[in-house]
Amino acid sequence: MCLIYSVDDTVNKRNNPEKALDASQLNFTHGVASGDPLPTSVILWTRCSPMQDDVSSNSTVSGFVPLFNPVPIYNENGTHIPVSNAPVCVEYKIASDKALGSVVDSGTLYTSSDVDYTVKVEAQHLKPFTQYYYQFNVCGSSSNKSPVGRTKTSPKPTDSVDEVGIAVYSCSNFPFGFFNAFGNPAIKDSVDYVVHLGDVIYEYKEGDYGYGYSIDRIPLPDRTIFTLYDYRKRHATYRTDAGMLASMATFPWMPVWDDHEVADNTYRDGSSELNNTEASFITDGGVSFDQRKMNAVRAYFEWMPIRQVDMDDNLRIWRSFQIGNLVDLILLDTRQYDRSITDLYWNTDYIFKLAYDAGRSMMGSRQENWFYKQLLSSKARNAAWRVIGSQTVFSRLNESVAYGNEEPFDVDAWDGYTSNRNRTFQTLYNNNITNNIMISGDSHANWVSDLVWLDEHPYDVASGSGSVGVEFAGTAVSSPSPAGQNTTIAAANLGSQALIASNRELQWSELYYRGYYELHITPDDVKTQYFGMPTIVTKNPYEISLANFTVQSGENKLQRDPTVGGGVVENGALKGGKTVGTNLTHNVMNGSYFISDFPVEDI
């Protein structure tokens, strides 16, 4: 499924002893991370650099380099050494114990300025569904070491698995507040893996979308980012957050991008403020969208612990993971790969006219066909569940009643690509593919819906009959509520009540809290727990349990007993149920509970 880049070059051909760096000149600047776990291997990541700043050279994204120039990943079958006359030498080891005594794989790696001194290696010879610890050190130095990281492989596709836990995130915006949502599951040790559905960084300068000055969280470089250096520096800035460092050092990540890893409301050929026209080039940065996208993609692959999926398609990030016979995790790219034109704010009426065109796609033909084949093959192999990662909300949502929009639907989400959504529903319904869980982000709000092909299949709101699965959509780690920056709970809940009343399949809406949710998957059911951060203005280990939902195997709908979510939620609006706000807050660091009263949730 995922390939490793390998060529025949050797370090000796490039190493210039006169320019070699002493171990004392090198630092592990941004901790460690792991990702894309397979049954016998996992990607390990670190950065070992002679400087705290990032590399400003554009050599890897200019001239005659490959399109979306792939980032090297080491493995035992060969090495692609970044071009440098003084590569930095790093050793790694991965062991079954925290003391790193029982080493199962180790090796020597080289990095250089060409990859911003990042390192990615595929650790191999591992056992399925097993926890490991790993560390890097500067070659020849027993004292210059990275922190110790922890990771976990996936089960073999044929393995019977009792339970898997996944924390799901989206929209982490540095200046709006601290990434406490990342850190809490690491403290609780409550999941096996992390899925980030996109917007792991944002491209804006300080003050354009977020005011980090008062909490010392100014996104660097302090300008709208366009160049390779800009994107590298922005990733590096985000990776100074303590919660993010803890999460990436504790759990293997399986991330995909949304729009802001490049720019706002991107599609195949442009974004809301930059497209491939002369006027845009002159007024929006003096760079083509194609070049900006290439810069962003390169930096993302340097800084994220993921595999190069397809060596014949360097832009491809969509991929899938078979987690035992329990779940197939299918991660889509509904943004950068081959999306038809989207809402760019000045063309909204035009996009509404196109929303039902058969030729529009969130993914493009190649990825669409791959997606449908993944669904069919998942059923054929009898995987118990299918979890589908989408950047934007999949279900139909009439939002105008809550947000005051002139038009009812968000055509930057799947509501603007209804034929693509209908083709997905057609695949599920016509082939009797059941036990489907759609997970999504982007909207900065919490939504829970039965997954229904409205107007094509009968659906009973009270019982959930006619649904083909469930969608769990999550709020942002820190980006602001769609109900407005620093909205009140009362105002946000009025919006949720209107949304619940105007959308048949929508069972829970919650607009106020920043946070995350966890999926706990067993052969019998999927239990989903939503958590809200009472405040992200400070770094803290606090969270509020907002709502809990269950999907029973074979039911293809939210469990009603007699209503969804047990009939009670902490916040928002629950169809047929009650909202009982307690502000009961869990300090996950010491296990205590208290009634919180923070006047400001975010900046």
Side-chain angles (χ1 to χ4, degrees):
M1 143 185 142
C2 296
L3 305 179
I4 304 299
Y5 194 46
S6 173
V7 298
D8 295 329
D9 296 327
T10 63
V11 174
N12 292 333
K13 291 180 180 179
R14 292 190 178 127
N15 194 12
N16 182 347
E18 296 178 359
K19 296 187 177 182
L21 296 164
D22 186 83
S24 63
Q25 298 174 270
L26 301 171
N27 297 284
F28 291 97
T29 59
H30 291 83
V32 296
S34 70
D36 278 13
L38 296 180
T40 60
S41 71
V42 68
I43 299 297
L44 307 180
W45 180 97
T46 193
R47 182 173 186 262
C48 186
S49 175
M51 58 187 191
Q52 291 293 326
D53 200 4
D54 296 87
V55 176
S56 59
S57 170
N58 290 319
S59 62
T60 56
V61 291
S62 58
F64 300 102
V65 300
L67 184 62
F68 300 112
N69 194 8
V71 173
I73 301 175
Y74 285 76
N75 75 355
E76 64 180 10
N77 301 319
T79 55
H80 174 210
I81 308 306
V83 179
S84 174
N85 59 6
V88 170
C89 182
V90 178
E91 296 170 328
Y92 81 96
K93 58 184 174 182
I94 183 168
S96 57
D97 63 309
K98 193 172 184 178
L100 302 173
S102 301
V103 175
V104 294
D105 194 22
S106 62
T108 301
L109 319 168
Y110 294 84
T111 186
S112 80
S113 59
D114 282 39
V115 289
D116 201 20
Y117 294 105
T118 60
V119 175
K120 288 204 284 189
V121 59
E122 183 186 37
Q124 298 179 307
H125 312 298
L126 310 181
K127 294 180 180 179
F129 208 36
T130 301
Q131 186 170 279
Y132 290 95
Y133 298 86
Y134 63 95
Q135 188 176 47
F136 298 87
N137 65 274
V138 175
C139 290
S141 173
S142 59
S143 59
N144 196 344
K145 300 177 180 179
S146 74
V148 175
R150 195 187 79 181
T151 191
K152 191 172 190 176
T153 52
S154 66
K156 291 186 296 186
T158 55
D159 285 350
S160 295
V161 179
D162 293 332
E163 182 176 352
V164 165
I166 302 173
V168 184
Y169 299 100
S170 62
C171 305
S172 37
N173 189 318
F174 194 78
F176 274 112
F178 290 86
F179 299 160
N180 300 330
F182 285 146
N184 284 3
I187 298 170
K188 297 186 297 181
D189 200 12
S190 54
V191 296
D192 299 294
Y193 309 111
V194 164
V195 169
H196 197 296
L197 292 170
D199 293 346
V200 75
I201 65 166
Y202 281 74
E203 78 278 13
Y204 303 104
K205 67 181 179 182
E206 165 73 1
D208 274 4
Y209 190 55
Y211 300 88
Y213 179 79
S214 63
I215 56 173
D216 195 27
R217 285 177 74 85
I218 294 175
L220 299 177
D222 187 7
R223 56 177 177 263
T224 301
I225 57 176
F226 293 97
T227 69
L228 177 58
Y229 169 81
D230 290 346
Y231 284 99
R232 285 169 166 172
K233 188 68 173 177
R234 189 60 56 88
H235 277 281
T237 302
Y238 277 54
R239 292 280 273 275
T240 62
D241 180 89
M244 192 172 195
L245 287 170
S247 177
M248 299 193 90
T250 304
F251 305 119
W253 276 41
M254 293 172 280
V256 284
W257 50 45
D258 194 6
D259 53 342
H260 289 285
E261 283 84 356
V262 179
D264 181 42
N265 279 22
T266 50
Y267 65 104
R268 178 180 55 231
D269 299 316
S271 66
S272 63
E273 292 188 354
L274 185 66
N275 50 67
N276 289 325
T277 64
E278 183 179 8
S280 174
F281 182 86
I282 294 170
T283 60
D284 295 325
V287 61
S288 71
F289 175 75
D290 290 335
Q291 186 60 51
R292 186 186 196 183
K293 185 174 178 178
M294 185 168 178
N295 298 339
V297 168
R298 173 72 184 196
Y300 186 92
F301 273 97
E302 288 175 347
W303 278 85
M304 299 303 288
I306 61 174
R307 299 171 187 267
Q308 190 75 38
V309 182
D310 184 345
M311 293 314 302
D312 293 324
D313 190 349
N314 297 334
L315 183 59
R316 178 178 169 180
I317 197 173
W318 36 280
R319 61 204 192 280
S320 64
F321 298 87
Q322 296 179 332
I323 303 177
N325 61 11
L326 181 63
V327 58
D328 283 341
L329 175 63
I330 304 169
L331 298 177
L332 306 177
D333 176 1
T334 60
R335 186 64 76 170
Q336 307 295 346
Y337 187 74
D338 198 14
R339 176 198 263 242
S340 304
I341 190 169
T342 191
D343 182 4
L344 307 176
Y345 307 125
W346 51 265
N347 68 342
T348 305
D349 290 343
Y350 168 65
I351 298 301
F352 266 91
K353 291 182 174 66
L354 303 181
Y356 293 89
D357 284 2
R360 284 175 60 71
S361 177
M362 294 280 275
M363 297 178 277
S365 175
R366 181 168 182 245
Q367 186 183 176
E368 264 203 55
N369 289 323
W370 169 86
F371 175 37
Y372 306 145
K373 289 176 182 176
Q374 288 290 305
L375 295 173
L376 291 166
S377 64
S378 178
K379 179 188 177 182
R381 82 176 193 92
N382 293 317
W385 298 91
R386 278 145 291 287
V387 175
I388 304 158
S390 166
Q391 285 64 61
T392 59
V393 175
F394 185 82
S395 297
R396 187 195 70 176
L397 279 175
N398 180 348
E399 299 178 343
S400 59
V401 292
Y403 302 163
N405 303 338
E406 181 179 345
E407 301 288 355
F409 303 116
D410 178 5
V411 289
D412 183 55
W414 285 82
D415 278 329
Y417 302 80
T418 56
S419 290
N420 192 169
R421 181 169 61 196
N422 289 342
R423 289 189 289 266
T424 302
F425 274 132
Q426 183 180 52
T427 302
L428 297 174
Y429 277 96
N430 289 4
N431 295 283
N432 194 29
I433 301 173
T434 59
N435 281 6
N436 306 297
I437 305 293
M438 182 74 71
I439 58 175
S440 55
D442 181 70
S443 70
H444 307 176
N446 291 313
W447 317 85
V448 174
S449 303
D450 286 326
L451 204 58
V452 183
W453 194 0
L454 295 169
D455 304 324
E456 287 290 332
H457 282 261
Y459 170 63
D460 182 76
V461 175
S463 69
S465 175
S467 175
V468 76
V470 170
E471 177 168 20
F472 294 113
T475 187
V477 169
S478 59
S479 292
S481 167
Q485 178 66 18
N486 284 326
T487 187
T488 65
I489 286 180
N493 286 358
L494 283 175
S496 289
Q497 290 165 19
L499 287 161
I500 288 292
S502 300
N503 293 278
R504 294 175 60 213
E505 73 279 33
L506 180 62
Q507 299 294 319
W508 180 58
S509 164
E510 198 284 318
L511 303 177
Y512 179 78
Y513 282 102
R514 311 302 88 208
Y516 70 102
Y517 62 99
E518 295 180 358
L519 302 174
H520 292 275
I521 308 169
T522 73
D524 296 328
D525 57 34
V526 174
K527 289 183 167 62
T528 303
Q529 302 170 317
Y530 278 83
F531 299 96
M533 307 295 106
T535 182
I536 57 172
V537 175
T538 62
K539 182 175 65 175
N540 64 74
Y542 307 148
E543 65 185 29
I544 297 173
S545 177
L546 298 179
N548 299 286
F549 302 93
T550 300
V551 183
Q552 294 285 346
S553 179
E555 291 297 308
N556 302 306
K557 62 184 181 181
L558 289 157
Q559 178 177 295
R560 276 97 164 145
D561 49 4
T563 58
V564 299
V568 180
V569 293
E570 168 74 21
N571 201 51
L574 182 70
K575 188 163 286 181
K578 297 186 298 183
T579 299
V580 180
T582 65
N583 284 354
L584 183 63
T585 303
H586 184 200
N587 181 335
V588 301
M589 185 68 74
N590 61 24
S592 66
Y593 287 84
F594 65 100
I595 305 301
S596 63
D597 184 21
F598 294 98
V600 178
E601 192 210 13
D602 58 4
I603 291 296

